[in-house]
C-alpha cells in the first residue's frame, strides 16, 4: 500500500494534474491544506483525498504531520505542482506488486520554469528520496530546506522514472515563491542571532547572483536563468532584512 501525502495552499491551478498522475499508484491520498481560499480543497475531495486543514507551520513540520496521517507503511511525498511521469508510475505500481524490498526509494526530480526544463541554474535534475517506510524515516522540522532523516544503515534504492516539478507558470510566481521562502529563512537567521549590516547583505546577495549565473550556469539558460539569478539576489536581501527586522523588534 502506498499513501501519497501532499501539502497545499491555493493550488487549484496545479493540484488536479498532480492527482491524475497518482491514479493507480496511491491507495490513499492525504492532503494537508493550510487554509486555501481557492478551489484546492474541493478538487481534492472530488478525487477522494483525505483532507485535513492545518495552519502552515513550516515545510518540515507540515510534511511530517501529513506522513503521520498515513494509513500505509509506505509514504510517497509529492507536492501539488509535481507530476509522476508514466515511467515512474509504472515503476511504483511494480513495487506494490512485489510488496517492496527496500525501506526507501529515490528517483529523479526534473525541474521546469515557465515550461522550460532546467539543466543548470542550480535546478539540474537530481535524485531525491520521496518514497519511504515511515517506520524508518521522518522529515526534519526545518521551516524551509527540509530533508528526510533516517538511520545510517538505511540506503535509498534508485527506481526508474522522473518526477516533473513545475515550479512556476510565470516569472512573477517564481519571485513570489522565492520571497516567501526567504521570509522563512529570515526567521531562521534571526533565531540564530544573525544580523548583518546593509553592505554585507548586499555583498552576500551579489555573490548569490554571480554564483547562480556563472558557477551554476544560469547564464546558459537564457531568460529563465537570468530571472532565477535575479530571484536569488532579491531573496538573499529579503532573508537578511527579515532577520534584521525581527532582531530589531526583539531588542525593543
Amino acid at each position: 500500500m502506498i499513501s501519497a501525502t501532499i501539502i497545499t495552499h491555493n493550488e487549484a491551478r496545479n493540484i488536479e494534474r498532480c492527482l491524475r498522475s497518482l491514479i493507480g499508484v496511491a491507495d490513499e491520498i492525504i492532503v494537508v491544506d493550510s487554509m486555501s481560499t481557492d478551489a484546492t480543497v474541493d478538487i481534492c475531495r472530488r478525487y477522494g483525498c483525505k483532507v485535513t486543514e492545518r495552519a502552515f507551520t513550516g515545510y518540515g513540520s507540515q510534511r511530517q504531520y501529513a506522513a503521520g496521517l498515513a494509513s500505509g507503511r509506505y509514504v510517497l511525498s509529492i507536492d501539488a505542482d509535481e507530476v509522476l511521469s508514466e515511467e515512474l508510475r509504472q515503476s511504483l505500481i511494480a513495487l506494490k506488486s512485489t510488496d517492496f524490498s527496500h525501506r526507501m526509494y529515490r528517483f529523479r526530480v526534473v525541474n521546469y520554469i515557465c515550461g522550460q526544463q532546467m539543466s543548470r541554474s542550480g535546478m539540474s535534475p537530481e535524485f531525491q528520496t520521496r518514497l519511504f517506510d515511515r517506520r524508518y524515516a521522518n522529515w526534519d522540522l526545518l521551516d524551509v530546506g527540509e530533508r528526510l532523516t533516517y538511520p545510517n544503515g538505511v540506503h535509498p534504492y534508485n527506481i526508474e522514472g522522473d518526477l516533473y516539478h513545475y515550479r512556476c507558470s510565470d516569472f512573477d510566481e517564481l519571485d513570489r515563491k522565492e520571497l516567501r521562502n526567504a521570509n522563512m529563512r529570515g526567521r531562521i537567521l534571526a533565531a540564530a542571532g544573525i544580523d548583518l549590516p546593509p553592505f554585507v547583505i548586499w555583498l552576500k546577495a551579489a555573490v548569490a547572483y554571480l554564483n547562480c549565473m556563472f558557477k551554476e550556469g544560469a547564464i546558459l539558460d537564457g531568460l529563465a536563468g537570468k530571472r532565477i539569478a535575479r530571484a536569488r539576489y532579491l531573496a538573499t536581501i529579503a532573508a537578511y532584512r527579515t532577520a534584521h527586522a525581527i532582531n530589531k523588534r526583539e531588542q525593543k
Side-chain angles (χ1 to χ4, degrees), residues 34-221:
S34 53
M35 315 307 172
S36 290
T37 56
D38 63 6
T40 298
V41 169
D42 292 336
I43 295 170
C44 290
R45 286 182 173 145
R46 194 166 71 237
Y47 275 81
C49 303
K50 299 178 181 178
V51 179
T52 298
E53 293 187 311
R54 182 178 191 253
F56 186 76
T57 55
Y59 288 108
S61 59
Q62 205 81 341
R63 292 190 197 282
Q64 184 59 30
Y65 181 82
L69 297 177
S71 302
R73 269 178 51 194
Y74 280 85
V75 171
L76 173 64
S77 181
I78 184 171
D79 287 340
D81 56 0
E82 295 178 333
V83 178
L84 305 176
S85 69
E86 185 57 31
E87 183 180 21
L88 181 55
R89 279 175 38 79
Q90 295 306 318
S91 293
L92 294 171
I93 291 169
L95 278 178
K96 291 202 298 181
S97 69
T98 59
D99 199 29
F100 306 98
S101 55
H102 294 78
R103 293 171 181 170
M104 313 190 78
Y105 297 87
R106 64 180 196 161
F107 39 81
R108 200 172 74 141
V109 178
V110 180
N111 293 297
Y112 287 82
I113 296 292
C114 300
Q116 177 180 335
Q117 181 178 330
M118 305 306 297
S119 57
R120 291 171 290 266
S121 303
M123 294 187 181
S124 56
E126 64 174 355
F127 277 84
Q128 295 182 12
T129 302
R130 294 294 197 91
L131 178 66
F132 55 92
D133 185 329
R134 63 191 180 95
R135 299 175 302 173
Y136 296 94
N138 293 286
W139 289 100
D140 62 30
L141 301 182
L142 292 177
D143 287 352
V144 65
E146 70 286 356
R147 294 286 182 181
L148 272 177
T149 61
Y150 46 88
N152 290 332
V154 176
H155 301 288
Y157 181 79
N158 290 357
I159 58 176
E160 297 296 321
D162 294 336
L163 181 69
Y164 303 135
H165 188 178
Y166 298 101
R167 287 178 171 267
C168 62
S169 57
D170 57 57
F171 294 124
D172 287 341
E173 183 182 3
L174 172 67
D175 291 341
R176 287 195 300 272
K177 287 184 174 181
E178 288 288 335
L179 290 175
R180 181 184 63 199
N181 290 342
N183 287 331
M184 286 187 279
R185 287 196 298 272
R187 292 196 293 270
I188 295 171
L189 292 170
I194 296 173
D195 191 358
L196 301 180
F199 175 77
V200 178
I201 293 175
W202 177 86
L203 184 60
K204 282 186 171 291
V207 170
Y209 176 84
L210 293 172
N211 278 342
C212 185
M213 283 293 287
F214 300 105
K215 186 177 180 180
E216 296 177 351
I219 195 170
L220 301 175
D221 279 334

